[in-house]
């Protein structure tokens, strides 16, 4: 494989990883826009989605059915978290609510440890066959599933936020909660919807990446950190910015692992977070500091 082909291979691997980060980052952005909370349990939604599907597939369920059931289960978990942990403390400070999400993160990981143990679980690829060749580089069929699923989710989110009443109500709360309330929109219900939607996004991300790695109870921390950094790169308020940041982060990690050493990959997210907060705390794609761009 020539140097350009190796470079293309690393970029394709980075885009695949970045597509997963994008789904998790969108969850961060959705909840932050609607509630002002940074949900540090977002990565655990991905872990739960992966854990549920590796538990459902051995029961003999068709993969699409197991996929939908796993996503639905995580959506219910997200809704339960909002109703049981966030809603009762809705009048508390934002810092308190963020601390609550950290506690939820720890609880979810602990419960997963009790239920599934410490052993990692494999999941077969969604489709079998040889990988495809792209100008000397190769891309696996599961990577295409990841990229295609992320593209489909982004298209569905665009339709939801632009052309549906619920989507516009969520956007109204993201722009101005008081005006939305005066217009008859209930921000508490939009908060519930935001948590359910974010849980579903995280679950899809965890499920599609499961065949590429072993699924374990502690994978949510890794994914949550990457999704958080990608959301920060987008200013925490911009969905397109978060997606772009996620793809950029994935490519940076892949290039650093391929050109330098694999160990450097683990430091890239922390380095990117540090530099962005130091140089452009409003995000790479947001112009005004403190301005909510909405969804």
């Amino acid at each position: 494989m020539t140097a350009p082909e190796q470079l293309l291979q690393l970029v394709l691997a980075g885009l695949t990883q970045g597509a997963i980060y994008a789904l998790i980052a969108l969850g961060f952005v959705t909840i932050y826009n609607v509630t002002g909370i940074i949900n540090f349990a977002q990565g655990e939604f991905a872990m739960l989605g992966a854990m549920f599907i590796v538990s459902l597939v051995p029961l003999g369920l068709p993969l699409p059915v197991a996929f939908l059931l796993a996503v639905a289960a995580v959506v219910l978990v997200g809704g339960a978290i909002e109703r049981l942990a966030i809603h009762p403390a809705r009048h508390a400070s934002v810092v308190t609510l963020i601390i609550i999400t950290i506690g939820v993160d720890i609880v979810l990981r602990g419960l997963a440890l009790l239920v599934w143990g410490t052993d990692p679980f494999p999941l077969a690829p969604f489709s079998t066959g040889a990988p495809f060749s792209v100008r000397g580089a190769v891309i696996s069929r599961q990577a295409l599933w990841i990229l295609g699923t992320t593209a489909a989710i982004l298209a569905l989110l665009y339709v939801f936020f632009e052309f549906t009443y619920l989507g516009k109500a969520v956007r109204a709360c993201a722009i101005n909660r008081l005006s939305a309330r005066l217009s008859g929109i209930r921000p508490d219900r939009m908060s519930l919807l935001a948590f359910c939607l974010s849980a579903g996004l995280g679950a899809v991300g965890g499920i599609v990446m499961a065949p590429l790695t072993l699924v374990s109870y502690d994978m949510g921390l890794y994914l949550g950190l990457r999704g958080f950094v990608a959301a920060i790169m987008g200013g925490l308020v911009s969905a397109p910015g978060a997606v772009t940041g996620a793809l950029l982060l994935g490519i940076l990690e892949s290039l650093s692992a391929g050109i330098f050493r694999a160990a450097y990959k683990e430091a890239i997210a922390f380095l990117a977070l540090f530099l962005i907060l130091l140089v452009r705390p409003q995000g790479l794609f947001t112009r005004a500091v403190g301005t909510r761009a909405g969804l």
Side-chain angles (χ1 to χ4, degrees):
M1 187 177 287
T2 63
E5 291 171 347
Q6 291 179 353
L7 183 62
L8 178 59
Q9 183 67 60
L10 293 174
V11 171
L12 290 176
L15 287 175
T16 304
Q17 198 68 28
I20 298 168
Y21 299 161
L23 293 175
I24 299 170
L26 285 173
F28 275 104
V29 171
T30 301
I31 290 180
Y32 180 78
N33 270 307
V34 176
T35 67
I37 303 170
I38 300 174
N39 176 31
F40 282 106
Q42 185 64 32
E44 305 308 328
F45 294 147
M47 177 273 293
L48 287 176
M51 282 298 193
F52 281 137
I53 198 166
V54 299
S55 301
L56 291 171
V57 169
L59 299 178
L61 294 175
L63 183 61
V65 176
F67 187 105
L68 293 176
L69 287 177
V71 173
V74 180
V75 167
L76 289 176
V77 171
I81 289 172
E82 200 280 339
R83 287 292 100 174
L84 299 177
I86 302 299
H87 185 72
R90 60 190 180 280
H91 299 304
S93 67
V94 172
V95 174
T96 301
L97 294 173
I98 291 174
I99 293 173
I100 289 175
T101 68
I102 296 174
V104 169
D105 176 272
I106 296 171
V107 169
L108 290 178
R109 199 179 318 138
L111 290 175
L113 175 62
L114 291 175
V115 174
W116 287 286
T118 57
D119 293 335
F121 298 90
L123 180 66
F126 292 176
S127 57
T128 58
F132 294 97
S133 178
V134 182
R135 294 186 176 275
V138 294
I139 183 168
S140 67
R141 293 172 183 265
Q142 188 59 37
L144 293 178
W145 272 106
I146 292 173
L147 294 172
T149 301
T150 301
I153 291 293
L154 292 177
L156 289 174
L157 286 177
Y158 175 78
V159 172
F160 175 72
F161 286 121
E162 292 291 335
F163 301 107
T164 68
Y165 172 79
L166 271 180
K168 292 179 178 178
V170 172
R171 291 181 61 197
C173 280
I175 295 171
N176 192 310
R177 288 171 62 90
L178 179 59
S179 295
R181 185 191 297 273
L182 294 175
S183 300
I185 299 171
R186 293 185 57 176
D188 61 328
R189 291 187 178 178
M190 294 304 105
S191 173
L192 175 62
L193 178 60
F195 267 83
C196 291
L197 182 60
S198 299
L201 290 171
V204 172
I207 291 171
V208 294
M209 78 163 291
L212 295 182
T213 183
L214 294 175
V215 178
S216 63
Y217 77 97
D218 58 350
M219 62 183 288
L221 182 62
Y222 172 89
L223 294 172
L225 173 63
R226 269 64 181 176
F228 176 63
V229 173
I232 289 291
M233 293 172 78
L236 264 179
V237 294
S238 169
V243 173
T244 306
L247 296 177
L248 183 60
L249 178 62
I251 292 173
L252 284 175
E253 285 190 341
S254 180
L255 290 177
S256 63
I259 297 175
F260 303 106
R261 297 174 60 182
Y264 292 155
K265 174 183 176 181
E266 304 301 324
I268 286 296
F270 294 101
L271 181 61
L273 179 62
F274 174 75
L275 291 177
I276 292 168
L277 292 178
L278 182 66
V279 180
R280 284 187 64 84
Q282 72 273 30
L284 298 178
F285 313 103
T286 305
R287 292 181 180 178
V289 177
T291 298
R292 281 197 169 193
L295 293 166

